[in-house]
Amino acid sequence: MHHQSDLIYGEAYKKYKVSSPCNVVVVGAGTAGLEAACTAAEVGCHVTLLEKTDKIGGLSVEISKIPAKKRLADFPTYLKARAGQLENLTILTNTEGTLERVRQYHPHLVVNATGSVPILPPIDGLAQQLQSSAPVFSILDFIAEVERYPEDLSGKRVVVVGGGAVGLDVVEFFVSRNAQITLVEMLPTIGNGLDASSIASVKEFLQKGQVRQLTGTALTKVLPDAFLVNQNGTEETLPFDYGFVCLGMKAYAPVLAELSDGFLGEPVEVLNIGDSVRARRIIDGTDAGRHLVLNALDQMGFLDIIR
Ligand SMILES: Cc1cc2nc3c(=O)[nH]c(=O)nc-3n(C[C@H](O)[C@H](O)[C@H](O)COP(=O)(O)OP(=O)(O)OC[C@H]3O[C@@H](n4cnc5c(N)ncnc54)[C@H](O)[C@@H]3O)c2cc1C
């Protein structure tokens, strides 16, 4: 077993090398999948990375379109450059990872890294309004349109439901555009689970934007131009020009069970890494991409330590 501190980005090949031919298939070219694919290729595996969209980098590329998150683009940019130098790594875009396709590459190791999707509970009217032309948006809709919002939104009413990390990114964006913001959170506090320094900056922009904070308040109904909320049994209607439902992200692993079942009883290891395990930070997925892949290769007897 490897010591995690032994391994830094892009340097596993200095310590480990595969001792016999090994095929690896990675499903999903976000930051976690890219790190897994690069690491496996760098130690000498023959790697195929399947990405269903026409782009690589996944959610990190999208999020970096939010002005305050611009620097996150460094992750996928670095990983793309690393991948580009590896002749034994093939990236296929517009290619969905299915059991049938993965099998074509005769893998010894399969890595599922299919990311996450927004949490959208069955709240009255939510699914319907998200699909309509009403100004009701999920976090992914917000990011898709982020470059189109006018610089000055003075007087515009923005209501954000969800006071966790995702909702607070949206609030911060509209504070910088002078909108009139209401933040709705079901828990008693805003920014649950954030570290102390993030909390401090959250407090600052909530104050700067004079954000109305409704904690202990649940969303009960979504109308085309208003949210109905309930605080301790009291209903309130919150009209908006833009309404956002940001209740966090949840793991998305549509092919994992098919892959695990499909290779059962065969000498093929199937791993799940990154947001498709649990929505988390980029660094958590890339760490897993590196360590779990090397550990799996080691346990399967493919790795030699270079002395
Ligand atoms: C609003 C917001 C702000 C965030 N801010 C930060 C932050 O400041 N710092 C931080 O570290 N993290 C942040 N995160 C979290 C971070 O974006 C994710 O943890 C990270 O991008 C997930 O990487 P991933 O590779 O696991 O998944 P993704 O990047 O989602 O990649 C999954 C890939 O798999 C592909 N795929 C899915 N199914 C298939 C299939 N069947 N076949 C082939 N391909 C498939 C998808 O198209 C996608 O390209 C934020 C998240 C959100 C929503």
Side-chain angles (χ1 to χ4, degrees):
M1 201 66 48
H2 307 283
H3 296 290
Q4 302 214 343
S5 55
D6 279 346
L7 302 168
I8 61 168
Y9 279 91
E11 301 222 326
Y13 70 95
K14 290 187 178 167
K15 263 197 125 154
Y16 308 102
K17 197 91 209 138
V18 286
S19 49
S20 55
C22 176
N23 296 334
V24 176
V25 178
V26 180
V27 180
T31 41
L34 277 165
E35 176 66 40
C38 287
T39 299
E42 281 159 357
V43 296
C45 299
H46 188 272
V47 184
T48 310
L49 173 53
L50 309 176
E51 168 54 48
K52 74 173 176 186
T53 70
D54 59 356
K55 291 192 270 302
I56 68 170
L59 191 56
S60 62
V61 174
E62 298 307 308
I63 286 163
S64 67
K65 292 176 187 162
I66 304 173
K69 300 270 160 159
K70 218 169 151 191
R71 279 186 49 213
L72 291 190
D74 291 351
F75 269 93
T77 302
Y78 156 75
L79 286 163
K80 282 183 213 173
R82 223 171 111 196
Q85 289 172 357
L86 294 162
E87 283 175 13
N88 51 337
L89 165 57
T90 307
I91 301 180
L92 302 174
T93 51
N94 296 311
T95 308
E96 184 143 2
T98 57
L99 175 62
E100 202 187 354
R101 191 165 280 122
V102 169
R103 266 201 186 286
Q104 290 172 7
Y105 302 98
H106 307 289
H108 300 94
L109 173 63
V110 180
V111 182
N112 183 86
T114 47
S116 55
V117 288
I119 296 173
L120 297 170
I123 292 168
D124 192 4
L126 176 58
Q128 187 193 343
Q129 298 307 341
L130 281 173
Q131 278 154 28
S132 74
S133 57
V136 177
F137 307 98
S138 72
I139 184 64
L140 298 186
D141 300 330
F142 164 71
I143 296 167
E145 296 287 315
V146 75
E147 281 145 354
R148 297 214 206 145
Y149 288 102
E151 283 295 321
D152 186 15
L153 288 167
S154 305
K156 294 284 181 201
R157 295 158 308 172
V158 169
V159 181
V160 178
V161 180
V166 171
L168 287 166
D169 280 344
V170 178
V171 171
E172 184 180 19
F173 175 84
F174 285 105
V175 165
S176 73
R177 278 161 167 74
N178 304 315
Q180 188 188 313
I181 307 163
T182 303
L183 175 58
V184 178
E185 168 58 53
M186 205 159 79
L187 295 173
T189 53
I190 302 283
N192 213 40
L194 292 183
D195 58 82
S197 85
S198 303
I199 293 275
S201 96
V202 165
K203 278 197 175 139
E204 208 176 294
F205 70 68
L206 290 178
Q207 199 172 21
K208 181 178 166 217
Q210 296 180 328
V211 175
R212 181 177 178 219
Q213 299 169 48
L214 299 175
T215 51
T217 304
L219 175 65
T220 54
K221 188 168 180 164
V222 182
L223 300 171
D225 55 0
F227 291 130
L228 296 192
V229 297
N230 188 311
Q231 190 182 42
N232 299 326
T234 308
E235 291 257 323
E236 189 179 347
T237 302
L238 302 172
F240 54 71
D241 296 295
Y242 302 100
F244 298 91
V245 178
C246 304
L247 303 176
M249 306 290 285
K250 62 172 182 193
Y252 172 72
V255 284
L256 181 62
E258 193 191 355
L259 291 168
S260 302
D261 293 350
F263 287 110
L264 211 65
E266 295 178 48
V268 178
E269 188 74 28
V270 178
L271 295 178
N272 185 25
I273 61 164
D275 273 21
S276 48
V277 178
R278 180 169 50 80
R280 46 180 76 185
R281 295 172 309 156
I282 295 172
I283 197 83
D284 302 316
T286 51
D287 266 356
R290 190 161 61 261
H291 296 119
L292 296 186
V293 162
L294 289 172
N295 280 343
L297 291 173
D298 190 26
Q299 271 165 17
M300 287 187 289
F302 279 107
L303 275 196
D304 270 352
I305 296 182
I306 300 169
R307 291 180 199 281

